[in-house]
Amino acid sequence: MAGNRIGVLGAGAWGTALAMQANRAGSEVTLWVRDTNLEQMMRTTRENIRYLPNQFIEPNITITHDIDVACAADVLILAVPSQALRTLCITLADRIDEQVPLILASKGIERGSFMLMSEVVESVLPHNPIIILSGPNFALETAQGLPTATVLASKDRMLVERVQFMLSGHYFRPYMSDDMMGVQVGGALKNVIALACGMTMGAGLGENARAAVMTRGLAEMGRLAEVKGGRAKTLQACRHR
Amino acid sequence: MAGNRIGVLGAGAWGTALAMQANRAGSEVTLWVRDTNLEQMMRTTRENIRYLPNQFIEPNITITHDIDVACAADVLILAVPSQALRTLCITLADRIDEQVPLILASKGIERGSFMLMSEVVESVLPHNPIIILSGPNFALETAQGLPTATVLASKDRMLVERVQFMLSGHYFRPYMSDDMMGVQVGGALKNVIALACGMTMGAGLGENARAAVMTRGLAEMGRLAEVKGGRAKTLQACRHR
């Protein structure tokens, strides 16, 4: 992995925003759009009207529907919906070298298998190095260049440092973690707790109850992280450097 | 500590709410009010108009300005403003037995000494067992009987269980922790982070920036907890049982 070519696979809000950020960071970015109509629109208007409206996509970002074009990269960001990740990996299997690092921006648990995203990828592409990219981030704000801290989790510190360099900017700061499982459990389950918090408020139970759901939710997520071989403390972001 | 008499020292919003909750839990509660005018008003109206308006204080809670009356208890809750805690402890020094457990509901750092609340108490009353009581709680909601989870932190598990019994109710649930320092650092510093979060939003920096301030703030609080002999992970409430 010598060059600075990044292929972003998936042009939802997050994929598009990450492509814009990688471009700002000086990387050579190709954004793969699955849907042909959307790809046509994006090439014409330089805007992702469907998922990230009103944000200008710089002309030096290559927008393509051809996955082979996007795969000709030094590192790939996988940003498709979580239930579509396995299909994408199967598509990649005979297209990419096993040394190409894969940055997983998709969050969640695969239906049926209950696998986390890295487990899905490893089951199809067992050799490629994996880095987890996880929030707390809203795509729109990252696209707008508002200050954003994020996490890159991998066992390979050198690789994370390289990817940090390819993505970082004054207003986009990736922190390093070595707990891939903990970060993924948090990314997959945080919105469950957020929904419970919303219900708590909707039911008029008050701020104390919401705070209880949040702290107890963190405790539960920590236990789940440990079951998956991660660390509970990662769920509180206290060990990211 | 055989009986169930609780003396609550300090009739701010939190002291008043804790007195109401202890009463609900079936304990025999005396609430000490420092200010004579407020005490008169509270005895007449059964309401703490100044700090917790519109909440009825049950007649079986004894309201007094006489600290000796309040000190005739099996356990004391100290709920005065943090900068007044040392003065209160000096007042208590020749009034209470050194076996009486002290529940610290005051949060913060003493000006000048930079001591946490337990350190202030220990410097004046070195023998009394100390339990930290800490949120995330709003007094008003606890007074109203809305669902509230809280933390009781002490090295003495048996004592915490006894105090849990004296305070718990269907809608007030104290969790146990053995990390007094970690819990206190969190209680003292959380509002600093909250202010920073407010400034972040006020400056229009967005939700990602607020989330970054929050997660990095937790990381900093964790480091401070460790310096004080506590555990970083306590700051994320993931170990409370």
Side-chain angles (χ1 to χ4, degrees):
Chain A
M1 186 183 140
N4 70 340
R5 295 172 304 162
I6 297 189
V8 180
L9 307 184
W14 195 214
T16 307
L18 287 172
M20 291 164 75
Q21 176 54 38
N23 177 60
R24 259 183 229 129
S27 299
E28 194 183 310
V29 182
T30 304
L31 176 58
W32 175 72
V33 189
R34 189 185 52 79
D35 186 283
T36 354
N37 290 332
L38 182 59
E39 187 239 7
Q40 286 299 322
M41 272 199 294
M42 285 173 69
R43 286 170 69 131
T44 317
T45 63
R46 302 309 297 184
E47 183 188 342
N48 186 337
I49 297 161
R50 201 178 293 166
Y51 298 116
L52 200 65
N54 303 316
Q55 305 305 313
F56 180 68
I57 301 167
E58 295 286 339
N60 49 343
I61 296 176
T62 305
I63 296 171
T64 181
H65 177 65
D66 184 342
I67 193 132
D68 289 314
V69 171
C71 283
D74 303 296
V75 53
L76 291 176
I77 297 180
L78 311 191
V80 297
S82 49
Q83 304 310 322
L85 185 62
R86 185 179 293 270
T87 309
L88 176 68
C89 290
I90 294 168
T91 307
L92 295 180
D94 52 6
R95 281 187 168 79
I96 61 169
D97 192 273
E98 69 185 33
Q99 267 83 51
V100 174
L102 305 175
I103 304 174
L104 307 192
S106 311
K107 296 184 182 81
I109 295 167
E110 192 183 45
R111 282 194 200 117
S113 74
F114 299 117
M115 283 178 174
L116 291 168
M117 297 297 97
S118 69
E119 295 172 312
V120 171
V121 173
E122 276 165 2
S123 71
V124 184
L125 304 161
H127 302 296
N128 293 74
I130 291 174
I131 298 176
I132 308 299
L133 188 153
S134 191
N137 306 141
F138 282 120
L140 177 61
E141 295 187 355
T142 300
Q144 290 170 330
L146 286 167
T148 298
T150 194
V151 174
L152 291 172
S154 163
K155 289 285 175 203
D156 184 342
R157 196 187 171 94
M158 294 260 294
L159 177 61
V160 169
E161 284 177 6
R162 175 84 186 113
V163 171
Q164 275 182 318
F165 184 78
M166 292 175 86
L167 289 177
S168 292
H170 283 307
Y171 299 107
F172 188 83
R173 187 164 174 179
Y175 285 83
M176 192 185 300
S177 167
D178 63 356
D179 183 6
M180 281 175 46
M181 284 301 169
V183 168
Q184 287 186 95
V185 166
L189 297 180
K190 66 182 168 42
N191 288 1
V192 178
I193 307 298
L195 283 169
C197 286
M199 288 181 219
T200 304
M201 294 312 278
L205 297 174
E207 293 286 351
N208 289 358
R210 174 159 68 170
V213 168
M214 225 181 281
T215 49
R216 302 316 302 161
L218 276 169
E220 275 195 21
M221 286 197 283
R223 278 182 234 125
L224 279 162
E226 285 179 342
V227 169
K228 295 296 283 184
R231 293 192 303 273
K233 65 188 172 191
T234 297
L235 273 293
Q236 293 78 39
C238 74
R239 285 301 175 174
H240 300 149
R241 273 153 293 176
Chain B
M1 184 183 143
N4 68 341
R5 295 172 305 162
I6 296 189
V8 180
L9 307 184
W14 195 214
T16 307
L18 287 172
M20 291 163 75
Q21 176 54 37
N23 178 60
R24 257 183 229 130
S27 299
E28 194 181 310
V29 181
T30 304
L31 176 59
W32 176 72
V33 189
R34 189 185 52 81
D35 185 283
T36 355
N37 290 331
L38 181 58
E39 186 239 9
Q40 287 299 321
M41 271 201 294
M42 285 174 69
R43 286 171 68 133
T44 318
T45 63
R46 302 308 295 183
E47 182 187 343
N48 187 337
I49 297 160
R50 200 176 295 166
Y51 299 116
L52 201 65
N54 303 315
Q55 304 304 314
F56 180 69
I57 301 167
E58 295 285 340
N60 49 344
I61 296 176
T62 305
I63 295 171
T64 182
H65 177 64
D66 184 341
I67 193 133
D68 289 314
V69 172
C71 283
D74 303 295
V75 54
L76 291 176
I77 296 180
L78 311 191
V80 297
S82 49
Q83 304 309 323
L85 185 63
R86 186 179 293 270
T87 310
L88 177 68
C89 289
I90 293 168
T91 307
L92 294 180
D94 53 5
R95 280 185 169 82
I96 61 169
D97 192 273
E98 67 185 35
Q99 268 82 51
V100 175
L102 305 175
I103 303 174
L104 307 192
S106 311
K107 295 184 182 83
I109 295 168
E110 193 183 43
R111 281 193 200 118
S113 73
F114 299 116
M115 284 177 171
L116 291 168
M117 298 295 99
S118 70
E119 295 172 313
V120 172
V121 173
E122 276 165 3
S123 69
V124 184
L125 304 162
H127 302 296
N128 294 73
I130 292 175
I131 298 175
I132 308 299
L133 188 154
S134 190
N137 305 144
F138 282 118
L140 177 61
E141 294 187 357
T142 301
Q144 290 170 330
L146 286 168
T148 298
T150 194
V151 175
L152 292 172
S154 163
K155 289 284 174 204
D156 185 340
R157 196 186 171 95
M158 293 260 294
L159 178 60
V160 170
E161 284 178 5
R162 176 87 184 107
V163 172
Q164 276 182 318
F165 184 78
M166 291 175 85
L167 290 176
S168 292
H170 283 308
Y171 299 107
F172 187 84
R173 186 162 176 182
Y175 284 83
M176 193 183 300
S177 168
D178 63 357
D179 182 7
M180 281 174 48
M181 284 301 168
V183 168
Q184 286 185 97
V185 166
L189 297 181
K190 66 180 167 43
N191 288 1
V192 179
I193 307 298
L195 283 170
C197 286
M199 288 181 220
T200 304
M201 294 311 277
L205 297 174
E207 294 285 350
N208 289 357
R210 174 158 69 172
V213 168
M214 224 181 280
T215 49
R216 301 317 303 161
L218 276 169
E220 275 196 20
M221 286 198 283
R223 277 182 235 126
L224 279 161
E226 285 179 344
V227 168
K228 296 295 283 181
R231 293 193 303 274
K233 64 188 172 189
T234 298
L235 273 294
Q236 293 78 39
C238 74
R239 286 302 174 170
H240 300 147
R241 270 151 297 178

